[in-house]
Amino acid sequence: MATIKELRGKSADELQGHLLDLQKERFALRMQKATGQLTKTHEARRVRREIARVNTLLGSKK
């Protein structure tokens, strides 16, 4: 998990890359949940919130 300070230090391109990684992780967690293999249910919430943070920072950098 990246802190907000770390995210603010990244460029827009780095944030886009991080966002893509988070979206892939979110998809994998959703698939685990659907198949009943998700043990750390709090991870889905963490990823969803970090995606929102990155999107907010991307919007402010434009």
Side-chain angles (χ1 to χ4, degrees):
M1 181 177 131
T3 64
I4 193 71
K5 286 185 180 183
E6 292 171 355
L7 291 174
R8 283 187 180 134
K10 292 185 176 186
S11 69
D13 289 336
E14 290 172 325
L15 286 173
Q16 287 283 29
H18 187 60
L19 181 62
L20 187 62
D21 293 339
L22 288 170
Q23 289 171 339
K24 288 178 183 177
E25 184 177 354
R26 182 176 177 217
F27 179 77
L29 290 171
R30 282 184 14 229
M31 291 300 110
Q32 287 178 10
K33 183 179 178 185
T35 59
Q37 298 174 347
L38 184 62
T39 56
K40 298 179 181 178
T41 56
H42 65 281
E43 287 295 313
R45 183 178 183 183
R46 179 194 61 81
V47 170
R48 192 178 72 238
R49 288 184 174 192
E50 192 165 343
I51 287 172
R53 284 187 189 103
V54 171
N55 281 329
T56 300
L57 288 172
L58 280 171
S60 68
K61 288 197 183 251
K62 287 186 178 178

